[in-house]
mmCIF file of all heavy atoms in Angstrom:
data_model
loop_
_atom_site.group_PDB
_atom_site.id
_atom_site.type_symbol
_atom_site.label_atom_id
_atom_site.label_comp_id
_atom_site.label_asym_id
_atom_site.label_seq_id
_atom_site.Cartn_x
_atom_site.Cartn_y
_atom_site.Cartn_z
ATOM 1 N N LEU H 16 0.825 -1.202 0.000
ATOM 2 C CA LEU H 16 0.000 0.000 0.000
ATOM 3 C C LEU H 16 0.864 1.259 0.000
ATOM 4 O O LEU H 16 0.495 2.238 -0.626
ATOM 5 C CB LEU H 16 -0.932 0.015 1.206
ATOM 6 C CG LEU H 16 -2.227 -0.769 1.074
ATOM 7 C CD1 LEU H 16 -3.002 -0.734 2.374
ATOM 8 C CD2 LEU H 16 -3.077 -0.298 -0.057
ATOM 9 N N PHE H 29 -5.511 9.635 -8.107
ATOM 10 C CA PHE H 29 -6.168 8.846 -7.070
ATOM 11 C C PHE H 29 -6.747 7.605 -7.733
ATOM 12 O O PHE H 29 -7.463 7.710 -8.730
ATOM 13 C CB PHE H 29 -7.280 9.676 -6.417
ATOM 14 C CG PHE H 29 -7.829 9.087 -5.166
ATOM 15 C CD1 PHE H 29 -7.121 9.149 -3.987
ATOM 16 C CD2 PHE H 29 -9.075 8.475 -5.164
ATOM 17 C CE1 PHE H 29 -7.628 8.617 -2.815
ATOM 18 C CE2 PHE H 29 -9.589 7.941 -4.006
ATOM 19 C CZ PHE H 29 -8.873 8.010 -2.830
ATOM 20 N N TRP H 33 -10.856 3.295 -5.659
ATOM 21 C CA TRP H 33 -11.039 3.809 -4.308
ATOM 22 C C TRP H 33 -12.046 4.943 -4.247
ATOM 23 O O TRP H 33 -12.348 5.468 -3.190
ATOM 24 C CB TRP H 33 -9.721 4.296 -3.727
ATOM 25 C CG TRP H 33 -8.714 3.221 -3.498
ATOM 26 C CD1 TRP H 33 -8.896 1.876 -3.601
ATOM 27 C CD2 TRP H 33 -7.358 3.404 -3.114
ATOM 28 N NE1 TRP H 33 -7.740 1.218 -3.324
ATOM 29 C CE2 TRP H 33 -6.774 2.129 -3.024
ATOM 30 C CE3 TRP H 33 -6.576 4.515 -2.864
ATOM 31 C CZ2 TRP H 33 -5.445 1.948 -2.666
ATOM 32 C CZ3 TRP H 33 -5.263 4.333 -2.514
ATOM 33 C CH2 TRP H 33 -4.704 3.060 -2.414
ATOM 34 N N ILE H 38 -23.628 3.906 0.441
ATOM 35 C CA ILE H 38 -24.468 4.711 1.332
ATOM 36 C C ILE H 38 -25.471 3.784 2.007
ATOM 37 O O ILE H 38 -26.129 2.985 1.358
ATOM 38 C CB ILE H 38 -25.191 5.830 0.557
ATOM 39 C CG1 ILE H 38 -24.158 6.758 -0.054
ATOM 40 C CG2 ILE H 38 -26.138 6.590 1.481
ATOM 41 C CD1 ILE H 38 -24.727 7.828 -0.931
ATOM 42 N N ASP H 46 -38.770 4.502 16.511
ATOM 43 C CA ASP H 46 -39.724 3.998 15.520
ATOM 44 C C ASP H 46 -39.003 3.620 14.230
ATOM 45 O O ASP H 46 -38.692 4.468 13.401
ATOM 46 C CB ASP H 46 -40.807 5.049 15.247
ATOM 47 C CG ASP H 46 -41.864 4.538 14.290
ATOM 48 O OD1 ASP H 46 -41.901 3.317 14.023
ATOM 49 O OD2 ASP H 46 -42.667 5.364 13.816
ATOM 50 N N LYS H 47 -38.768 2.328 14.043
ATOM 51 C CA LYS H 47 -38.007 1.896 12.872
ATOM 52 C C LYS H 47 -38.836 1.920 11.590
ATOM 53 O O LYS H 47 -38.297 1.751 10.508
ATOM 54 C CB LYS H 47 -37.414 0.512 13.094
ATOM 55 C CG LYS H 47 -38.413 -0.599 13.200
ATOM 56 C CD LYS H 47 -37.686 -1.911 13.410
ATOM 57 C CE LYS H 47 -38.673 -3.052 13.521
ATOM 58 N NZ LYS H 47 -38.013 -4.326 13.742
ATOM 59 N N VAL H 50 -39.579 6.738 8.105
ATOM 60 C CA VAL H 50 -38.417 7.088 7.288
ATOM 61 C C VAL H 50 -37.646 8.267 7.876
ATOM 62 O O VAL H 50 -36.421 8.339 7.770
ATOM 63 C CB VAL H 50 -38.869 7.408 5.838
ATOM 64 C CG1 VAL H 50 -37.710 7.890 4.998
ATOM 65 C CG2 VAL H 50 -39.532 6.207 5.209
ATOM 66 N N PHE H 59 -16.732 4.675 2.969
ATOM 67 C CA PHE H 59 -15.671 4.721 1.972
ATOM 68 C C PHE H 59 -14.743 3.528 2.134
ATOM 69 O O PHE H 59 -14.632 2.964 3.225
ATOM 70 C CB PHE H 59 -14.853 6.011 2.135
ATOM 71 C CG PHE H 59 -15.624 7.246 1.814
ATOM 72 C CD1 PHE H 59 -16.225 7.989 2.812
ATOM 73 C CD2 PHE H 59 -15.749 7.676 0.502
ATOM 74 C CE1 PHE H 59 -16.938 9.130 2.518
ATOM 75 C CE2 PHE H 59 -16.461 8.813 0.201
ATOM 76 C CZ PHE H 59 -17.058 9.543 1.204
ATOM 77 N N ASN H 63 -8.996 4.734 1.453
ATOM 78 C CA ASN H 63 -9.141 6.196 1.499
ATOM 79 C C ASN H 63 -8.649 6.749 2.832
ATOM 80 O O ASN H 63 -7.914 7.729 2.890
ATOM 81 C CB ASN H 63 -10.601 6.601 1.321
ATOM 82 C CG ASN H 63 -11.106 6.405 -0.072
ATOM 83 O OD1 ASN H 63 -10.388 5.923 -0.947
ATOM 84 N ND2 ASN H 63 -12.343 6.750 -0.299
ATOM 85 N N LYS H 64 -9.086 6.123 3.910
ATOM 86 C CA LYS H 64 -8.720 6.595 5.247
ATOM 87 C C LYS H 64 -7.228 6.399 5.498
ATOM 88 O O LYS H 64 -6.578 7.253 6.093
ATOM 89 C CB LYS H 64 -9.545 5.838 6.293
ATOM 90 C CG LYS H 64 -9.639 6.550 7.597
ATOM 91 C CD LYS H 64 -10.349 7.864 7.419
ATOM 92 C CE LYS H 64 -10.716 8.452 8.751
ATOM 93 N NZ LYS H 64 -11.118 9.840 8.648
ATOM 94 N N GLU H 67 -5.375 9.073 3.665
ATOM 95 C CA GLU H 67 -5.533 10.335 4.390
ATOM 96 C C GLU H 67 -4.561 10.407 5.567
ATOM 97 O O GLU H 67 -3.894 11.431 5.782
ATOM 98 C CB GLU H 67 -6.970 10.455 4.894
ATOM 99 C CG GLU H 67 -7.245 11.708 5.677
ATOM 100 C CD GLU H 67 -8.666 11.721 6.234
ATOM 101 O OE1 GLU H 67 -9.570 11.198 5.569
ATOM 102 O OE2 GLU H 67 -8.841 12.253 7.339
ATOM 103 N N TYR H 77 6.968 15.963 8.250
ATOM 104 C CA TYR H 77 8.113 16.305 7.411
ATOM 105 C C TYR H 77 8.086 17.718 6.861
ATOM 106 O O TYR H 77 9.088 18.224 6.423
ATOM 107 C CB TYR H 77 8.233 15.305 6.255
ATOM 108 C CG TYR H 77 8.434 13.909 6.762
ATOM 109 C CD1 TYR H 77 7.450 12.955 6.619
ATOM 110 C CD2 TYR H 77 9.593 13.554 7.430
ATOM 111 C CE1 TYR H 77 7.632 11.673 7.110
ATOM 112 C CE2 TYR H 77 9.775 12.281 7.928
ATOM 113 C CZ TYR H 77 8.792 11.347 7.758
ATOM 114 O OH TYR H 77 8.960 10.085 8.255
ATOM 115 N N LEU H 79 5.451 20.634 7.978
ATOM 116 C CA LEU H 79 5.026 21.665 8.926
ATOM 117 C C LEU H 79 5.933 21.746 10.145
ATOM 118 O O LEU H 79 6.296 22.836 10.583
ATOM 119 C CB LEU H 79 3.578 21.412 9.345
ATOM 120 C CG LEU H 79 2.549 21.456 8.221
ATOM 121 C CD1 LEU H 79 1.171 21.116 8.752
ATOM 122 C CD2 LEU H 79 2.532 22.790 7.525
ATOM 123 N N ASN H 82 9.667 22.944 9.151
ATOM 124 C CA ASN H 82 9.749 24.359 8.784
ATOM 125 C C ASN H 82 9.144 25.293 9.823
ATOM 126 O O ASN H 82 8.982 26.483 9.572
ATOM 127 C CB ASN H 82 9.068 24.578 7.432
ATOM 128 C CG ASN H 82 9.800 23.847 6.331
ATOM 129 O OD1 ASN H 82 11.012 23.953 6.208
ATOM 130 N ND2 ASN H 82 9.072 23.088 5.531
ATOM 131 N N PHE H 90 -3.097 30.091 25.057
ATOM 132 C CA PHE H 90 -4.323 30.826 25.334
ATOM 133 C C PHE H 90 -4.168 31.604 26.635
ATOM 134 O O PHE H 90 -3.759 31.067 27.639
ATOM 135 C CB PHE H 90 -5.507 29.850 25.462
ATOM 136 C CG PHE H 90 -5.834 29.173 24.168
ATOM 137 C CD1 PHE H 90 -5.405 27.884 23.911
ATOM 138 C CD2 PHE H 90 -6.553 29.853 23.198
ATOM 139 C CE1 PHE H 90 -5.704 27.268 22.724
ATOM 140 C CE2 PHE H 90 -6.859 29.238 22.005
ATOM 141 C CZ PHE H 90 -6.425 27.951 21.772
ATOM 142 N N HIS H 92 -5.977 34.184 29.573
ATOM 143 C CA HIS H 92 -7.177 34.059 30.392
ATOM 144 C C HIS H 92 -8.413 34.354 29.548
ATOM 145 O O HIS H 92 -8.480 35.335 28.841
ATOM 146 C CB HIS H 92 -7.091 35.046 31.565
ATOM 147 C CG HIS H 92 -8.245 34.942 32.492
ATOM 148 N ND1 HIS H 92 -8.427 33.851 33.300
ATOM 149 C CD2 HIS H 92 -9.261 35.794 32.733
ATOM 150 C CE1 HIS H 92 -9.523 34.040 34.023
ATOM 151 N NE2 HIS H 92 -10.037 35.210 33.685
ATOM 152 N N TRP H 93 -9.423 33.454 29.610
ATOM 153 C CA TRP H 93 -10.645 33.648 28.838
ATOM 154 C C TRP H 93 -11.411 34.739 29.432
ATOM 155 O O TRP H 93 -12.124 35.172 29.909
ATOM 156 C CB TRP H 93 -11.466 32.347 28.807
ATOM 157 C CG TRP H 93 -10.776 31.310 28.015
ATOM 158 C CD1 TRP H 93 -9.864 30.412 28.455
ATOM 159 C CD2 TRP H 93 -10.913 31.026 26.621
ATOM 160 N NE1 TRP H 93 -9.430 29.595 27.452
ATOM 161 C CE2 TRP H 93 -10.059 29.957 26.310
ATOM 162 C CE3 TRP H 93 -11.654 31.596 25.609
ATOM 163 C CZ2 TRP H 93 -9.959 29.442 25.034
ATOM 164 C CZ3 TRP H 93 -11.558 31.064 24.349
ATOM 165 C CH2 TRP H 93 -10.709 29.997 24.076
#
Side-chain angles (χ1 to χ4, degrees):
L16 277 176
F29 192 76
W33 294 352
I38 298 175
D46 183 13
K47 67 180 180 181
V50 175
F59 293 97
N63 288 2
K64 201 63 168 167
E67 179 184 326
Y77 300 111
L79 299 177
N82 295 311
F90 293 100
H92 183 70
W93 292 88

